[in-house]
């Protein structure tokens, strides 16, 4: 069961190969990445669309491991897929290294405020 504000690991997917979009990743006017993710779960994962909370400083690409935080569930959006988890709206807060150390994923980049 998904819990709002409980971070989950997810893989950035190539939207071009999965859905035939024009590019593997897209960026908005502020530089935030709009991404398709496969979120980790016990049944093999599920797909959501999301974006980063701020522009990534390092290149973000398909196959990267990220920290996705679900925030709320949208029933109308969930109806667009056979999997109701598609309706979860959340944000990507960080890129992770594919390395587990001291009980957590190793952080590559946090997309927090940069001053």
């Amino acid at each position: 069961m998904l819990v709002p504000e409980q971070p989950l690991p997810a893989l950035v997917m190539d939207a071009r190969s999965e859905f035939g979009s024009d590019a593997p990743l897209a960026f908005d006017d502020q530089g935030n990445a709009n991404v398709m993710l496969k979120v980790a779960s016990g049944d093999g994962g599920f797909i959501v669309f999301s974006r980063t909370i701020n522009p990534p400083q390092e290149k973000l690409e398909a196959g990267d491991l990220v920290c996705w935080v679900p925030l709320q569930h949208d029933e109308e959006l969930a109806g667009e897929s056979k999997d109701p988890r598609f309706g979860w709206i959340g944000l990507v807060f960080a890129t992770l290294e594919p390395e587990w150390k001291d009980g957590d994923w190793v952080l590559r980049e946090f997309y927090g405020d940069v001053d």
Side-chain angles (χ1 to χ4, degrees):
M1 175 175 201
L2 288 172
V3 177
E5 299 182 19
Q6 194 76 291
L8 294 168
L11 287 175
V12 176
M13 297 181 70
D14 184 335
R16 180 176 43 210
S17 66
E18 296 294 327
F19 287 102
S21 72
D22 293 337
L25 302 174
F27 295 87
D28 66 19
D29 293 342
Q30 290 82 35
N32 296 316
N34 296 308
V35 293
M36 179 174 63
L37 302 173
K38 185 156 194 176
V39 181
S41 68
D43 66 353
F46 60 95
I47 305 296
V48 295
F49 288 97
S50 191
R51 72 175 185 84
T52 58
I53 61 168
N54 283 307
Q57 299 301 307
E58 295 182 29
K59 185 176 180 180
L60 184 64
E61 50 192 25
D64 281 344
L65 182 64
V66 296
C67 175
W68 177 73
V69 178
L71 299 173
Q72 67 183 25
H73 191 259
D74 182 301
E75 291 295 327
E76 187 174 333
L77 183 59
E80 298 292 320
S81 171
K82 293 177 185 175
D83 188 336
R85 297 173 295 183
F86 182 76
W88 276 95
I89 298 168
L91 293 169
V92 176
F93 281 81
T95 306
L96 306 170
E97 293 292 344
E99 179 183 348
W100 187 259
K101 186 175 182 182
D102 298 325
D104 212 348
W105 293 103
V106 175
L107 181 68
R108 180 188 306 167
E109 178 186 355
F110 178 69
Y111 304 137
D113 292 327
V114 178
D115 292 322

